[in-house]
Amino acid sequence: MEHAKNLEVIIVGAGIGGLTFALALDQVGVRCRLYEGAAEFKPLGVGLNLLPHAMRTLTELGVGERLAAKGVSTREYCFYTRHGQRVYSEPRGRFAGYDWPQLSIHRADLHEVLFDAVRERLGEDAVIFGHRCVGLEQADDVATVHFADPAGARLASVSGPIVIACDGVHSVARKQYHPNEATPRYEGTTQYRGATRWKPFLTGASMVYFGTYETGKLITYPMRDSIDEDGNQLINWVIELSKDSLQTRDWNRQSNVEEFIGHFEHASFDWLDIPAMLRAADVILEYPMIDQDPLPFWTSGRVTLLGDAAHPMMPRGSNGAAQAIIDAITLANLLAAGGDPVAALKEYEAIRLAATGRVVLANREIAPDAILRVVDERTGGHPFTRIEDVISTDELAAWQERYRKVAGFSAEDLRKPSTAS
């Protein structure tokens, strides 16, 4: 353990993965410093879901209560056809008997809680802004990161025993060590993401999957509660539609409601007026459904990848943030053991590379809302009289359990000892 306490880890990137990793290192007594390419902390994005396995880790890292105060504890998962007919629902998180919630939260709120906790525990200067990684070098006993400022001017390089690249889907380290990697894979669909101030619907903590991407697919849930004196919530919504054009991955690309509203004009139901909610959005963003094939390796000597830098996956099934969080706690515990840190990086890769690769591939084939496509095919796109005549309860439940198992948050998985302990 003495060896671990003398280690100082260089973390490239202060997103969700990098910040969680810093908190996990601090908890086990390993020092670190984070270098972030952005000039300052800015709230970005819209909503995401923290599944129970991610919330277990974040709770054990001491930020669970703060996050719960910011987000909405998801009560149920619901699936509706494009005609507004309920196909299936199941409880989620604590409402399903887990010891941890499934938390719907604004990405900016999650990022802020993690950032504040890092500064409180590691110091005000723990995150160095305006340092964009432009390359890495290694010698026998040291790794060096080269930086530039936001304008492109070179900054002083930083060296240390190991470097963890948490620099996202456009990772410089990933490109450097995998220069011949295949081009990103575009699925043929695009997401439109938005946030709307709206009155609560269904239970006030429901996550709804509606329709299919061929005809207009919507996922929606509240991510902030009681945002005004009228009791409105901040509702997150995501639309997925077939689209031919391939775009670059930019989480902040602006869009507008006319791109997709025609698919939802009919969808005004007693449980939610979908077109009205979409038209009332405060912000609308566009993102192509892109991932990349799993890599053959993450670790090269004293450098390894973590989070989206290691396993960029489509934003589907609430998995991107969760897998980065699990990466972080896994690697922190291996480094805390006090052995050779280079060997710890390889062991981390051995544990996590195949597991995350399965999630990347599962997101292509067995997304949780795939049951809606099955129902649509079996009914020919028409309303049904009884859902039991279309698909059995057992088959519906099996779809969801299969996805939970692949993603690592089945009840059986969470009965196993935590990697954060």
Side-chain angles (χ1 to χ4, degrees), residues 300-313:
S300 177
R302 296 179 175 275
V303 178
T304 197
L305 309 174
L306 187 150
D308 284 347
H311 42 74
M313 59 186 67

Side-chain angles (χ1 to χ4, degrees), residues 2-11 21 25 29-35 122 125-126 128 141-143 158-164 302 335 341:
E2 189 62 36
H3 184 70
K5 289 182 178 178
N6 293 331
L7 187 68
E8 180 162 295
V9 179
I10 298 171
I11 302 174
F21 183 47
L25 287 175
V30 177
R31 293 176 298 141
C32 65
R33 183 66 63 86
L34 298 94
Y35 295 86
L122 280 69
D125 62 346
I128 310 300
D141 60 353
V142 70
V158 176
S159 298
I162 57 172
V163 174
I164 315 303
R302 296 179 175 275
L335 292 171

Side-chain angles (χ1 to χ4, degrees), residues 29-63:
V30 177
R31 293 176 298 141
C32 65
R33 183 66 63 86
L34 298 94
Y35 295 86
E36 167 58 40
E40 59 183 343
F41 176 85
K42 288 184 177 179
L44 297 173
V46 280
L48 56 81
N49 263 257
L50 294 170
L51 299 172
H53 54 347
M55 282 302 297
R56 173 169 71 171
T57 294
L58 292 169
T59 298
E60 292 170 340
L61 291 176
V63 294

Side-chain angles (χ1 to χ4, degrees), residues 172-243:
V172 170
R174 181 185 178 106
K175 291 177 183 176
Q176 180 170 323
Y177 293 113
H178 296 276
N180 299 317
E181 182 183 11
T183 57
R185 172 188 170 277
Y186 179 52
E187 190 187 49
T189 63
T190 291
Q191 278 193 353
Y192 298 91
R193 308 171 68 92
T196 303
R197 301 168 187 270
W198 204 250
K199 58 185 177 296
F201 61 90
L202 296 177
T203 66
S206 299
M207 183 175 186
V208 169
Y209 284 81
F210 171 87
T212 66
Y213 66 74
E214 291 89 350
T215 58
K217 167 184 164 181
L218 169 75
I219 306 167
T220 188
Y221 51 84
M223 58 180 170
R224 286 179 186 158
D225 227 343
S226 301
I227 60 173
D228 57 30
E229 60 185 15
D230 296 323
N232 286 317
Q233 297 175 312
L234 188 63
I235 306 296
N236 185 78
W237 52 263
V238 181
I239 286 167
E240 188 176 342
L241 295 175
S242 296
K243 189 172 183 178

